[in-house]
Amino acid sequence: MKNKKIAIFDLDGTIDKGDTSLAFMIRIFFKSPKRWFKFPNLIFGYFTYIINPNFVRTDLKLLFLKTILKNQNEKFIDSEAKSFARERLENFSNKNILKTILKYNKEGALLIIASGSLDVYVKYFAKLLKINEFICTELEIKSMKFTGFFKNDNCVGEKKYDLINQHLKDKNKLWEDVVFFSDHHSDLPVFIASKDIYAVRPTKKLLELLKI
C-alpha cells in the first residue's frame, strides 16, 4: 500500500507573503501604548542585526519578545493572534499555495506547518487552513503571562529540521513521503531531506544552494 503523502509548508514567505513575526509584534506594540517609550530599543536592535553578524535573527526575535510580549496577558495575546491569522490570510496569503493546500487536503495527505513563527498565531493559521499539525517556535507562559522567552528554542534552520525529524519518527513516517514548500535558505536541511521540494518565491541564496 502506498504511504500517505506528507505536505509540509513554511509560513513566512510561503503561505504568507511577508514576515508574520514582525507584523504580529508591530500589531501588539501599537496596541500597548505604555511600551511605546521602548521604541528606540527596537530600532537599535534592528540596526545591530543589520551591521553585526554576531547578532543573529534569534537574538533580534528575543529582543522583540522581551520588549513587546513580556508580561502581556495570555488572553489578550490569544485574542489578537486569532484576529491576526484571519486578517493575514485574507490580505497577505499566497493564493497559489492556498490552492495547493486545498488540493492536498482533498487527496487526504497529512498537512503540517513548520515555521519559525510564533505558536500563538500559527495554531490559528493551521485551524483556518484545516492543516492537521504544526511545528513552530513556542513561547513560554507563566501565571498566564508571557515571559519574553522561548519555551524551547527558535524553530529555524537545523532546529526546524530536528523537530520535523522527531515528529515524523513519533508518527512512524518517512522523509521519502515528504513534499516540502518554503522560500528561505535557512530551510536547506529540510529541503535536502525531503523527497519532493518546491522553492516558493525563493531567496537568491536558496536558489544558489539548490542550484536551481
Side-chain angles (χ1 to χ4, degrees):
M1 182 182 294
K2 188 176 181 180
N3 290 336
K4 179 187 287 190
K5 183 71 73 176
I6 304 163
I8 302 179
F9 296 85
D10 182 36
L11 179 57
D12 290 7
T14 305
I15 295 174
D16 188 285
K17 293 179 180 179
D19 184 333
T20 60
S21 292
L22 180 60
F24 184 70
M25 293 287 195
I26 291 172
R27 178 191 183 98
I28 300 302
F29 185 70
F30 276 109
K31 294 194 175 188
S32 307
K34 291 183 179 179
R35 296 172 187 245
W36 289 356
F37 75 94
K38 296 182 178 181
F39 183 66
N41 295 352
L42 300 177
I43 295 298
F44 178 78
Y46 178 75
F47 280 105
T48 301
Y49 170 69
I50 295 297
I51 65 176
N52 184 356
N54 294 318
F55 192 81
V56 298
R57 281 197 304 163
T58 296
D59 297 319
L60 183 63
K61 185 180 285 188
L62 281 170
L63 173 64
F64 271 67
L65 286 173
K66 291 173 185 176
T67 304
I68 300 172
L69 285 192
K70 186 176 181 180
N71 293 322
Q72 293 276 17
N73 182 274
E74 182 181 7
K75 187 175 181 180
F76 164 65
I77 297 298
D78 183 70
S79 176
E80 288 298 321
K82 189 174 184 178
S83 298
F84 174 77
R86 184 181 66 254
E87 292 166 14
R88 292 294 297 191
L89 278 175
E90 289 174 355
N91 300 303
F92 298 97
S93 59
N94 184 325
K95 304 306 180 185
N96 289 328
I97 291 297
L98 296 192
K99 290 177 182 177
T100 301
I101 290 171
L102 181 61
K103 170 180 172 290
Y104 278 111
N105 251 326
K106 287 182 177 179
E107 293 175 356
L110 173 65
L111 274 67
I112 302 172
I113 293 177
S115 173
S117 302
L118 309 178
D119 60 342
V120 290
Y121 60 79
V122 171
K123 63 184 179 183
Y124 288 117
F125 273 91
K127 184 176 182 180
L128 289 166
L129 293 169
K130 297 181 180 179
I131 289 180
N132 315 78
E133 299 162 8
F134 56 90
I135 298 165
C136 59
T137 302
E138 298 180 49
L139 300 181
E140 184 181 62
I141 299 172
K142 290 184 178 179
S143 301
M144 299 182 70
K145 290 187 180 293
F146 290 86
T147 66
F149 291 96
F150 303 135
K151 187 175 180 180
N152 295 303
D153 204 351
N154 196 17
C155 181
V156 297
E158 290 288 348
K159 180 64 176 178
K160 181 190 283 192
Y161 166 81
D162 290 342
L163 289 172
I164 295 173
N165 191 48
Q166 187 59 54
H167 192 76
L168 294 175
K169 285 183 178 179
D170 291 344
K171 292 185 170 293
N172 294 315
K173 303 295 184 182
L174 302 172
W175 280 103
E176 66 186 37
D177 298 315
V178 171
V179 53
F180 181 59
F181 298 79
S182 178
D183 70 304
H184 204 268
H185 49 269
S186 65
D187 285 327
L188 184 63
V190 185
F191 274 111
I192 292 172
S194 301
K195 169 71 173 180
D196 297 312
I197 59 174
Y198 293 89
V200 182
R201 303 169 65 245
T203 61
K204 182 179 179 181
K205 187 172 181 179
L206 177 60
L207 290 175
E208 293 172 349
L209 290 169
L210 294 177
K211 295 180 173 58
I212 295 176

